[in-house]
Amino acid sequence: MISLKPKLKLSGREIRMIWAAGGVLVLIAALQFAVIPAVSQSIYLERQIALKKKRVLETRLLEARYREIDRKALDAKMKLNKRPRGFTLFSFLDALAGKTGLKSAIVYMKPNRLERKNSRYKISIVEMKMSGINMKQLVRYLYGVETSRNLIHIKKIAVTKTGKTKGAIDVVLQAETLEI
């Protein structure tokens, strides 16, 4: 009868080496299939949490910006409604020029109106040129425009020296406001 079991004679040291190699294989398998995936998942989840926190912060900042814009829009709407009946940008700028002593310096005033699509508001624009004024007069006029409660602002301004008198300037400015 032939025996199918091989007869190996291993020493104690060889048996310990086999057990150690088996232990290393079990350890590698545990690392490969249990520890490394768990650590990778943990890192992934930490990144996702950081990303979600960042998005929440961005959302809160956007919400604060929206509230500020909404508050400003309501404030602007109230100011528009408080304007005198029949207010026009052209007449306001002309009257302010009279108050600041610049009426005689006005070369021209060109009114224009832009219609906004899907809006009940229109943009009223007046381009005006003043000639031979000084910087102090200009500052007083601009202060009157910008500090009025009529939501007027200067969109463009061009200042050039004139050769006529010392300190004299020519000014072309464009003022605009919303109209209902």
Side-chain angles (χ1 to χ4, degrees):
M1 188 170 212
I2 301 178
S3 169
L4 293 176
K5 285 187 179 179
K7 295 184 180 184
L8 293 173
K9 293 241 175 186
L10 298 174
S11 68
R13 180 173 179 230
E14 291 171 335
I15 292 175
R16 284 190 300 272
M17 291 295 279
I18 290 174
W19 278 105
V24 168
L25 287 176
V26 169
L27 184 61
I28 289 172
L31 283 172
Q32 183 67 32
F33 299 111
V35 175
I36 292 175
V39 170
S40 295
Q41 183 68 15
S42 175
I43 291 170
Y44 171 77
L45 290 175
E46 286 176 10
R47 286 184 184 154
Q48 290 299 312
I49 289 170
L51 184 63
K52 298 293 181 186
K53 284 181 180 180
K54 182 179 176 185
R55 287 185 181 160
V56 167
L57 180 62
E58 288 172 354
T59 302
R60 286 183 180 158
L61 290 173
L62 286 173
E63 179 185 18
R65 260 180 75 199
Y66 171 79
R67 289 182 192 276
E68 179 67 18
I69 290 169
D70 194 42
R71 185 191 60 75
K72 285 182 179 180
L74 183 61
D75 186 42
K77 190 174 183 178
M78 288 174 52
K79 285 181 180 179
L80 286 174
N81 289 331
K82 288 182 181 179
R83 279 186 181 163
R85 195 170 198 90
F87 172 87
T88 64
L89 179 60
F90 186 91
S91 62
F92 173 81
L93 294 174
D94 189 51
L96 182 61
K99 287 178 189 174
T100 57
L102 293 175
K103 191 138 179 144
S104 62
I106 296 176
V107 177
Y108 65 81
M109 290 179 73
K110 295 179 186 175
N112 195 0
R113 179 174 287 137
L114 297 175
E115 304 281 331
R116 299 180 108 189
K117 289 182 181 179
N118 302 325
S119 175
R120 64 184 192 124
Y121 297 104
K122 300 171 188 105
I123 299 175
S124 179
I125 302 169
V126 173
E127 181 179 307
M128 66 187 296
K129 180 176 182 177
M130 294 180 277
S131 182
I133 65 173
N134 62 42
M135 195 59 94
K136 189 174 184 178
Q137 291 171 311
L138 175 62
V139 169
R140 193 168 53 236
Y141 187 77
L142 293 176
Y143 181 78
V145 170
E146 291 287 339
T147 59
S148 75
R149 295 180 182 212
N150 295 311
L151 294 176
I152 301 169
H153 73 278
I154 304 298
K155 184 176 181 181
K156 294 179 186 176
I157 187 166
V159 179
T160 55
K161 283 185 182 181
T162 62
K164 298 174 185 173
T165 59
K166 185 178 180 183
I169 55 173
D170 289 346
V171 178
V172 177
L173 64 86
Q174 197 175 66
E176 71 177 22
T177 190
L178 288 176
E179 286 184 356
I180 298 176

